[in-house]
Amino acid sequence: MLAHKASHEAVMCIEAIAGKTVHPIDVTKIPGCTYCRPQIASVGYTEARAKEAGYKVRVGKFPLLANGKALAMGEPTGLIKTVFDDATGELLGAHMIGAEVTEMIQGYVIARTGELTEAELSETIFPHPTISESMHEAVLAAYGGALHF
Ligand SMILES: Cc1cc2nc3c(=O)[nH]c(=O)nc-3n(C[C@H](O)[C@H](O)[C@H](O)COP(=O)(O)OP(=O)(O)OC[C@H]3O[C@@H](n4cnc5c(N)ncnc54)[C@H](O)[C@@H]3O)c2cc1C
């Protein structure tokens, strides 16, 4: 029930009809967004779903209360949570509540699509001052390395 999924599937359908090879959609790589206030956005496995699927997980959480841009915007309510596969470091899922998170989730969607790991995300440089810095912090938090909380 997502417009972007329907649109993507439509393109795949036409490409298949035109004889192109299309890759099946992986539903764990589709962003879900709720435009309430604060906004909600997520991609991939929740912690519970990952455990059900047999993964041993590492979880990171970072509150927007500890992010300077969120404070300056007067939007301190929110949280970012990451779920990693403990065995490989792959990002399994990410869940965000807060200002502009529907704009930021795409960063984690690209990470899911590219099957990026904690190591690559930790080394990624995020711009300052942005709420997106909390995405980095939530990655670092999963491995005990958050800087501002
Ligand atoms: C109020 C509302 C808000 C939404 N908000 C969001 C949102 O913010 N973000 C998001 O990602 N998704 C949202 N969605 C969901 C999203 O719109 C749908 O998931 C998406 O449009 C589904 O696309 P579709 O092509 O499968 O179907 P549709 O977009 O429903 O297209 C089906 C088309 O087929 C036509 N049709 C039906 N029967 C026949 C027939 N017998 N002959 C010929 N034509 C026919 C219909 O007229 C329609 O044009 C929202 C949905 C609603 C109802």
Side-chain angles (χ1 to χ4, degrees):
M1 296 294 285
L2 295 168
H4 42 282
K5 177 174 182 284
S7 177
H8 191 84
E9 285 174 329
V11 172
M12 288 173 64
C13 176
I14 299 303
E15 286 185 344
I17 290 169
K20 283 193 179 178
T21 304
V22 293
H23 299 284
I25 285 190
D26 179 347
V27 295
T28 72
K29 294 171 181 168
I30 299 172
C33 297
T34 307
Y35 300 90
C36 48
R37 187 167 185 181
Q39 296 180 354
I40 304 169
S42 64
V43 64
Y45 292 85
T46 62
E47 181 180 354
R49 281 282 167 84
K51 286 177 178 170
E52 276 170 29
Y55 289 103
K56 187 176 173 227
V57 297
R58 271 182 177 264
V59 170
K61 293 180 186 172
F62 189 81
L64 294 194
L65 189 62
N67 175 271
K69 178 74 179 284
L71 289 177
M73 288 170 62
E75 300 265 11
T77 303
L79 175 83
I80 299 186
K81 178 176 178 180
T82 55
V83 181
F84 287 92
D85 178 1
D86 187 46
T88 65
E90 181 181 350
L91 178 72
L92 296 174
H95 310 278
M96 313 163 84
I97 300 174
E100 302 303 331
V101 295
T102 60
E103 299 287 345
M104 299 193 300
I105 191 67
Q106 194 59 16
Y108 284 139
V109 175
I110 291 168
R112 280 287 302 146
T113 301
E115 299 179 355
L116 299 192
T117 65
E118 167 273 337
E120 291 154 325
L121 290 167
S122 292
E123 287 170 17
T124 301
I125 297 171
F126 288 72
H128 174 82
T130 62
I131 300 177
S132 75
E133 288 174 285
S134 299
M135 297 170 66
H136 193 215
E137 294 272 19
V139 170
L140 299 176
Y143 289 79
L147 298 171
H148 294 96
F149 189 71

Short mmCIF file of all heavy atoms in Angstrom, two decimals, residues 64 67 69 80 96 99 104 108 125-138:
data_model
loop_
_atom_site.label_atom_id
_atom_site.label_comp_id
_atom_site.label_asym_id
_atom_site.label_seq_id
_atom_site.Cartn_x
_atom_site.Cartn_y
_atom_site.Cartn_z
N LEU A 64 16.84 12.39 19.51
CA LEU A 64 17.06 13.69 18.86
C LEU A 64 17.30 14.79 19.89
O LEU A 64 17.83 15.86 19.55
CB LEU A 64 15.86 14.05 17.97
CG LEU A 64 15.65 13.16 16.75
CD1 LEU A 64 14.67 13.81 15.79
CD2 LEU A 64 16.95 12.82 16.04
N ASN A 67 20.69 16.06 19.66
CA ASN A 67 21.14 16.57 18.35
C ASN A 67 20.94 18.09 18.31
O ASN A 67 19.82 18.58 18.52
CB ASN A 67 20.33 15.88 17.24
CG ASN A 67 20.65 16.45 15.87
OD1 ASN A 67 20.02 17.41 15.44
ND2 ASN A 67 21.61 15.86 15.19
N LYS A 69 20.89 20.35 15.87
CA LYS A 69 19.97 20.92 14.87
C LYS A 69 18.52 20.72 15.30
O LYS A 69 17.69 21.64 15.17
CB LYS A 69 20.22 20.25 13.51
CG LYS A 69 19.31 20.70 12.38
CD LYS A 69 19.66 22.08 11.87
CE LYS A 69 18.76 22.52 10.71
NZ LYS A 69 19.09 21.88 9.44
N ILE A 80 16.20 7.68 16.82
CA ILE A 80 16.62 6.87 15.67
C ILE A 80 17.17 5.55 16.21
O ILE A 80 17.93 5.54 17.18
CB ILE A 80 17.66 7.61 14.82
CG1 ILE A 80 17.04 8.90 14.30
CG2 ILE A 80 18.14 6.71 13.67
CD1 ILE A 80 17.87 9.68 13.33
N MET A 96 12.92 5.53 12.51
CA MET A 96 13.13 6.92 12.91
C MET A 96 11.80 7.58 13.26
O MET A 96 10.81 7.41 12.54
CB MET A 96 13.77 7.70 11.76
CG MET A 96 14.95 6.99 11.11
SD MET A 96 15.37 7.67 9.48
CE MET A 96 16.39 9.03 9.97
N ALA A 99 11.49 15.06 13.39
CA ALA A 99 11.36 16.05 12.32
C ALA A 99 12.14 15.61 11.07
O ALA A 99 13.29 15.17 11.19
CB ALA A 99 11.88 17.40 12.79
N MET A 104 15.04 11.80 5.41
CA MET A 104 16.36 11.23 5.71
C MET A 104 16.43 9.72 5.55
O MET A 104 17.51 9.16 5.39
CB MET A 104 16.76 11.59 7.14
CG MET A 104 16.87 13.08 7.38
SD MET A 104 17.69 13.44 8.93
CE MET A 104 16.59 12.65 10.10
N TYR A 108 19.39 5.43 4.76
CA TYR A 108 19.42 4.03 5.23
C TYR A 108 18.90 3.08 4.15
O TYR A 108 19.31 1.92 4.10
CB TYR A 108 18.56 3.89 6.49
CG TYR A 108 19.17 4.42 7.76
CD1 TYR A 108 18.39 5.13 8.67
CD2 TYR A 108 20.51 4.19 8.09
CE1 TYR A 108 18.93 5.60 9.87
CE2 TYR A 108 21.05 4.66 9.28
CZ TYR A 108 20.26 5.36 10.17
OH TYR A 108 20.79 5.81 11.36
N ILE A 125 30.83 10.15 6.36
CA ILE A 125 30.85 11.48 6.97
C ILE A 125 29.51 12.16 6.73
O ILE A 125 29.06 12.28 5.59
CB ILE A 125 31.99 12.33 6.37
CG1 ILE A 125 33.34 11.67 6.71
CG2 ILE A 125 31.93 13.76 6.89
CD1 ILE A 125 34.52 12.28 6.02
N PHE A 126 28.89 12.58 7.82
CA PHE A 126 27.59 13.25 7.77
C PHE A 126 27.80 14.75 7.98
O PHE A 126 28.62 15.16 8.79
CB PHE A 126 26.65 12.69 8.85
CG PHE A 126 26.16 11.30 8.57
CD1 PHE A 126 27.01 10.21 8.68
CD2 PHE A 126 24.85 11.08 8.19
CE1 PHE A 126 26.56 8.92 8.41
CE2 PHE A 126 24.39 9.80 7.92
CZ PHE A 126 25.24 8.71 8.04
N PRO A 127 27.01 15.59 7.28
CA PRO A 127 27.22 17.03 7.40
C PRO A 127 26.71 17.59 8.73
O PRO A 127 25.77 17.06 9.31
CB PRO A 127 26.40 17.60 6.23
CG PRO A 127 25.35 16.58 5.98
CD PRO A 127 25.95 15.25 6.31
N HIS A 128 27.37 18.68 9.15
CA HIS A 128 27.01 19.36 10.40
C HIS A 128 26.66 20.82 10.09
O HIS A 128 27.35 21.45 9.29
CB HIS A 128 28.18 19.30 11.37
CG HIS A 128 27.96 20.09 12.63
ND1 HIS A 128 27.23 19.59 13.69
CD2 HIS A 128 28.33 21.35 12.98
CE1 HIS A 128 27.19 20.50 14.65
NE2 HIS A 128 27.85 21.58 14.24
N PRO A 129 25.64 21.39 10.65
CA PRO A 129 24.72 20.80 11.62
C PRO A 129 23.48 20.28 10.91
O PRO A 129 22.77 21.02 10.23
CB PRO A 129 24.35 22.00 12.50
CG PRO A 129 24.39 23.18 11.56
CD PRO A 129 25.41 22.86 10.51
N THR A 130 23.19 18.99 11.08
CA THR A 130 21.99 18.40 10.49
C THR A 130 21.40 17.38 11.47
O THR A 130 22.12 16.85 12.34
CB THR A 130 22.29 17.63 9.18
OG1 THR A 130 23.19 16.55 9.49
CG2 THR A 130 22.91 18.52 8.12
N ILE A 131 20.13 17.10 11.28
CA ILE A 131 19.52 16.02 12.06
C ILE A 131 20.09 14.68 11.60
O ILE A 131 20.14 13.72 12.37
CB ILE A 131 17.98 16.06 11.93
CG1 ILE A 131 17.44 17.40 12.44
CG2 ILE A 131 17.33 14.92 12.72
CD1 ILE A 131 15.94 17.57 12.28
N SER A 132 20.56 14.64 10.35
CA SER A 132 21.10 13.38 9.82
C SER A 132 22.31 12.90 10.61
O SER A 132 22.65 11.71 10.57
CB SER A 132 21.44 13.51 8.34
OG SER A 132 22.63 14.25 8.15
N GLU A 133 22.96 13.78 11.33
CA GLU A 133 24.07 13.34 12.19
C GLU A 133 23.60 12.29 13.18
O GLU A 133 24.38 11.43 13.61
CB GLU A 133 24.66 14.53 12.95
CG GLU A 133 25.45 15.48 12.09
CD GLU A 133 25.88 16.72 12.86
OE1 GLU A 133 25.03 17.59 13.11
OE2 GLU A 133 27.07 16.80 13.22
N SER A 134 22.33 12.35 13.54
CA SER A 134 21.77 11.36 14.47
C SER A 134 21.73 9.97 13.84
O SER A 134 21.76 8.96 14.56
CB SER A 134 20.36 11.75 14.89
OG SER A 134 20.38 12.99 15.54
N MET A 135 21.65 9.93 12.50
CA MET A 135 21.69 8.63 11.82
C MET A 135 23.06 7.98 12.04
O MET A 135 23.17 6.77 12.23
CB MET A 135 21.41 8.80 10.33
CG MET A 135 20.03 9.34 10.02
SD MET A 135 19.82 9.79 8.29
CE MET A 135 19.94 8.20 7.49
N HIS A 136 24.10 8.80 11.97
CA HIS A 136 25.46 8.30 12.22
C HIS A 136 25.59 7.86 13.67
O HIS A 136 26.10 6.77 13.96
CB HIS A 136 26.45 9.43 11.91
CG HIS A 136 27.87 8.97 11.82
ND1 HIS A 136 28.91 9.75 12.24
CD2 HIS A 136 28.42 7.82 11.36
CE1 HIS A 136 30.04 9.10 12.04
NE2 HIS A 136 29.78 7.94 11.50
N GLU A 137 25.08 8.69 14.57
CA GLU A 137 25.17 8.38 16.00
C GLU A 137 24.45 7.07 16.33
O GLU A 137 24.92 6.29 17.17
CB GLU A 137 24.55 9.52 16.82
CG GLU A 137 25.30 10.84 16.72
CD GLU A 137 26.41 10.96 17.77
OE1 GLU A 137 26.84 9.94 18.33
OE2 GLU A 137 26.84 12.10 18.02
N ALA A 138 23.31 6.82 15.65
CA ALA A 138 22.56 5.59 15.92
C ALA A 138 23.33 4.36 15.42
O ALA A 138 23.16 3.26 15.96
CB ALA A 138 21.17 5.66 15.27
#
